[in-house]
Each structure stands twice: as C-alpha cells, then as structure tokens.
Amino acid sequence: MEVDKNVEMFTVDQQELQPGSLISDDPILSRSRGILQLIVFSIIGITTFFIPFTINDKSTILFDHAASYLVNDLHAVAVALLFLLMAYGAIKPIVTGKYKQNLTHAILSAAKIAGLILGSLYVLGMAPDVIMEKDMMPFLFEKLALPVGMIVPIGALILASLIGFGLLEMIGVLMQPIMKPIWRTPGTSAIDAVASFVGSYSIGLLITNRVYLQGHYSTREAIIIATGFSTVSAAFMVIVAKTLGLMELWNLFFWSTLVITFIVTAITARIPPISQERNDDADPSAQAVVDIKENRLSAALELGIQTSRRSSNIPKIFWSNFKDGLEMAAAIVPSIIAVGLAGLLLDKYTPVFEVLGLLLYPFTLVGGLPDPLLAAKGISAGLAEMFLPALLLSETDVITRYVAGVVSISSVLFFSAMIPCILATKIPLSIPKMLIIWLQRTILSILLAAAFAHIAIAAGWIA
C-alpha cells in the first residue's frame, strides 16, 4: 500500500516529537511481521487491561490478579520488594544530588526518606501508637503502598503492549481532527495527550516540556496539555478503583473517567486563567503541518504498521517500560506513605479539610451525593495527595465512591507529585494558578461525575 506525502509528513514529525519512541538502531521488520506484531500485542494489551476474568471468585483484569497474588499469597516477598523500591527511591535523590536543585526537590526528598522510615517502623512494630491505629499506617501500608508498589511496575510492563507496537500512534492519528476544535491544542498533540493519559504523568510532562521548548506548542497549549491530560496512569487508576471497591465496574470507571477528564479539559481551556495565557509564542517553523484529508483510517493503520516494524527489539521495549514503572513506584511509594499519613493525621485531628471542603460543599450538594459535606471534605484532600479521597471515602455509598474516584483522577493536580513535576519543567505555571485550575477541575469533575453516576444507576450500570 502506498503512503501518501501527508502520511509520511505526519510520521516523520511524530518521530521528532517522541523521545526515543521510533528512532533506533534496531533492524526494521518486514511488513507482514509488523502487521502481525501490531495485531498480537494490541490484542494482548486490550485483553490484559480491559477484559475482566474471574479467578477464585474474584472478577478483575488480569494484571490486577497478578498483583493481588503477590500482595496476598506472597506477602513477605511483596514487602521485601517494596522496601527495595522504597530504599532506592529515598536514596537516589541524595546520591544524584537532586535534592539540592531547589526547595521543592528538597521537600520531596525529605518526604521519601520519612516514608521509608515510617514504613520500616510499621513493619518492625515500632511505630508510635497514634499512627498504628487501623485507619492510619496499617491501612496506608497494606491497602495502598503495597498494592501500588506491585501494580505500577506490572502495569507498566503490560502497557508496553498498548503503547510500544503502534496502537497508540493509530489512536493519535484518529484523534487528530478533533484536538484543535475541542481542546485548542495542535493536531500533533493527539499522541502526546493519549500517551500522557495511558502512560505516566511524569513521562507525559517530559514530552510536553520537550515539545514546548522546541516551539511546537504555545504557552497556552503546553499548559492545557500539562494540566489537562497528564493525569495518573491507568495502573494508578486500578489502585484507586481497588481502594474504592469499584473493580467490578472497571471498564465503566475507566472509560467514563477518561471522557470526563477530557470534557473538563475542554472547558478549562476556554476559561481564565488558561484562556488568558499566550497563544502566539509557538515557532511556526517548528510546528508540524498535518493534513490527511482522505482515508484517515488507512493513514492510522499505516502509521501503526510503521511503528510496529520499528519495534523489533521486543525485550528492550518491555524492559524499558518495566524500568519506568520501577522508577515511578520507587519515587511515589515513600512519598505516598509520608504525605498520605500527614493527610490522614490532618483529617483526623485538624479542621483543615473541613474548611477546604466548604468550597466544594455547594457542588457535592447540587450533585446529589448522599452525604455532601463528608464527600466535599474527602475530595478536598486530593489537593495534598490524589489517593487521599479514595482512602477517606472508601466506606461510603457507591455514588460517593464513584465520584471520589473520578475526581481524584480528573482533577490532575496534587502537591505530593504532580505540582512539583510541573514546577520542574519550563512551562510557566505558578502555584496560585495551579490552585485555581485544581479548583476549577475539581468542581467540574464533581458535577459531571455525579450526573453520570445518577444516570448509570438509573440505567442499571451501577448496582
């Protein structure tokens, strides 16, 4: 099949935009092998990530079964692996000197060390009584840190099937025509947006920052992508769903969260402060010209096949994704323990989240949540750490749990990881602006998620 000039232009541009995704010294596979590889790994990825299987009377997706087996049946092994990850995550900033870069890195590095110490004290039974209550460290370590430490690397490994063999690029081409009119970002940001959502927010931000510095994005476009698409990965969404008891509704939860996140992004892109950012500072010579006027499906398939043909080093692809998952788990787990415990202590012994929750109370009330004040208080904790709403609202009714899960993903911004990551880029976003964007996204997410939850219950999709 011939590839027209427009498709070739699109392919070359994406090679330039994605660091190390297509350009390598690995041999190019034959066309038939590329097609077979694209089909096989796409089926593996979709089956593993989106189709629930019942094993031992438990219905969930396959890689969650694998992680649960590690956590429950090989608990001692899982704890040992977790401590290796936590030790690596805590020591790395000291060895590399990253903690010296700025105050943010120093605080995060201290949080990782604190998380490692707290985890050690918990396992050794030496932690103070105040944090050994069952809704404190036991819950935080056993129900959050341990599953995260196992699921994220395994999930990253499985994600290689979805993002390493052409499926992601196919989706990017198919999404291209709707990017500018809906999200006010260039057509070429389609792949960036999808990669950010299904992969890692840190990797997504690295791509966005790199492309912004190259002049492909204006300031406004970079901010839209960074605050609207670079949410936590699908592997982290599994943790949220597990904590909230929503794994039986995994597909409904995943796809509705994706849609709601993208709707919220389309709205925030059109209101201040994002709408007031510069949109004329992109380099016209750097921006790609993409104009596939006919047979877009064929163009998408062709790009997917070309990507698959370049993905000849299968062990390298899976190891690279697994390594990224290990790095992310090592960085986030000790922070989760430290920041999560601080959040739980603030929730239990101070009125901080009650005060912050008052800002959200009118919207949880309008959304028809059974206990709107409790929901507002729990959701507000997501500003500190995106897992806290799931922890605080895990025992509530199904509507509140669903809304909390969606909002924790769709709000995107939180202090324990995402906000410091953005501050580490060259994208000009201040903390006050991010706080405003967080509030906007949280309010919109509450209203949309609550409306969908009521529809889903009426339709019988949620029992």
Side-chain angles (χ1 to χ4, degrees):
M1 180 171 64
E2 291 292 322
V3 185
D4 65 31
K5 186 180 295 183
N6 289 324
V7 178
E8 289 178 348
M9 189 179 303
F10 181 88
T11 305
V12 170
D13 181 68
Q14 295 313 310
Q15 290 176 354
E16 293 171 352
L17 294 189
Q18 298 179 85
S21 60
L22 295 179
I23 300 174
S24 71
D25 296 328
D26 297 325
I28 305 298
L29 299 175
S30 67
R31 184 174 182 80
S32 59
R33 174 72 181 274
I35 293 172
L36 178 64
Q37 190 167 261
L38 171 62
I39 293 172
V40 169
F41 283 108
S42 295
I43 291 173
I44 290 173
I46 291 169
T47 301
T48 308
F49 230 101
F50 298 115
I51 299 179
F53 292 85
T54 301
I55 301 176
N56 296 329
D57 297 325
K58 179 184 177 183
S59 179
T60 186
I61 52 180
L62 282 177
F63 89 85
D64 182 37
H65 278 299
S68 296
Y69 175 75
L70 267 175
V71 171
N72 298 323
D73 296 276
L74 299 175
H75 188 268
V77 174
V79 171
L81 292 174
L82 182 70
F83 269 94
L84 288 175
L85 284 173
M86 291 173 62
Y88 174 73
I91 294 171
K92 184 180 177 181
I94 299 173
V95 174
T96 61
K98 192 174 183 180
Y99 74 98
K100 299 177 183 178
Q101 290 184 6
N102 52 48
L103 180 60
T104 300
H105 284 296
I107 293 173
L108 286 176
S109 298
K112 291 173 184 176
I113 294 171
L116 176 61
I117 294 172
L118 287 167
S120 302
L121 291 175
Y122 166 73
V123 171
L124 295 173
M126 298 170 61
D129 291 341
V130 68
I131 65 172
M132 285 298 284
E133 297 177 20
K134 65 178 183 178
D135 60 345
M136 291 288 176
M137 274 300 296
F139 184 80
L140 197 61
F141 188 91
E142 302 291 346
K143 301 298 183 182
L144 184 56
L146 198 54
V148 166
M150 300 303 105
I151 281 181
V152 171
I154 296 174
L157 188 67
I158 300 303
L159 275 172
S161 298
L162 292 174
I163 67 178
F165 299 93
L167 181 63
L168 184 66
E169 285 73 12
M170 288 173 58
I171 295 172
V173 175
L174 295 174
M175 285 183 64
Q176 180 195 350
I178 66 175
M179 296 302 295
K180 195 71 173 182
I182 297 180
W183 292 290
R184 292 190 167 184
T185 58
T188 49
S189 68
I191 288 181
D192 194 349
V194 177
S196 297
F197 195 91
V198 303
S200 153
Y201 63 82
S202 56
I203 295 172
L205 279 175
L206 286 174
I207 297 174
T208 304
N209 185 54
R210 181 173 182 266
V211 175
Y212 171 64
L213 293 176
Q214 289 176 341
H216 291 276
Y217 296 154
S218 68
T219 296
R220 184 201 296 173
E221 290 164 348
I223 290 174
I224 291 170
I225 296 169
T227 63
F229 298 122
S230 300
T231 187
V232 296
S233 69
F236 276 89
M237 291 178 67
V238 173
I239 299 293
V240 173
K242 282 174 65 69
T243 304
L244 291 168
L246 298 174
M247 281 307 295
E248 292 184 359
L249 308 170
W250 167 246
N251 276 295
L252 178 73
F253 174 69
F254 178 87
W255 293 110
S256 61
T257 300
L258 184 146
V259 171
I260 289 170
T261 299
F262 284 6
I263 291 174
V264 170
T265 299
I267 297 171
T268 55
R270 288 166 168 78
I271 58 178
I274 293 179
S275 64
Q276 296 176 335
E277 295 293 336
R278 289 190 63 182
N279 199 39
D280 59 355
D281 54 341
D283 182 359
S285 64
Q287 290 188 307
V289 179
V290 182
D291 185 21
I292 304 173
K293 295 181 178 178
E294 297 180 359
N295 209 352
R296 179 167 297 277
L297 180 58
S298 295
L301 287 170
E302 185 61 32
L303 182 57
I305 292 169
Q306 289 183 28
T307 304
S308 180
R309 291 181 65 191
R310 289 178 172 87
S311 302
S312 57
N313 193 334
I314 296 175
K316 179 181 176 182
I317 292 169
F318 278 93
W319 168 247
S320 176
N321 278 270
F322 184 59
K323 183 180 177 183
D324 287 341
L326 290 174
E327 292 277 354
M328 177 178 290
I332 201 71
V333 170
S335 297
I336 285 174
I337 291 178
V339 178
L341 181 62
L344 291 175
L345 290 171
L346 285 173
D347 173 69
K348 191 165 186 175
Y349 297 107
T350 76
V352 169
F353 294 130
E354 290 182 4
V355 174
L356 188 56
L358 292 176
L359 291 174
L360 303 178
Y361 172 69
F363 306 99
T364 54
L365 182 64
V366 170
L369 301 189
D371 191 338
L373 189 58
L374 176 66
K377 175 185 171 183
I379 291 171
S380 69
L383 179 59
E385 161 57 48
M386 58 83 53
F387 283 119
L388 283 179
L391 292 175
L392 298 175
L393 300 173
S394 61
E395 302 297 327
T396 56
D397 60 277
V398 68
I399 295 180
T400 301
R401 285 185 281 125
Y402 170 79
V403 172
V406 173
V407 175
S408 66
I409 307 298
S410 182
S411 58
V412 174
L413 300 166
F414 53 98
F415 271 106
S416 68
M418 186 62 187
I419 290 176
C421 281
I422 292 179
L423 292 174
T425 71
K426 298 298 182 182
I427 301 170
L429 258 179
S430 64
I431 289 180
K433 284 183 181 179
M434 282 191 273
L435 290 175
I436 294 172
I437 295 169
W438 171 82
L439 183 61
Q440 292 172 340
R441 294 191 65 87
T442 301
I443 290 171
L444 291 167
S445 299
I446 288 171
L447 296 175
L448 290 170
F452 180 78
H454 288 297
I455 293 171
I457 287 176
W461 302 335
I462 297 178

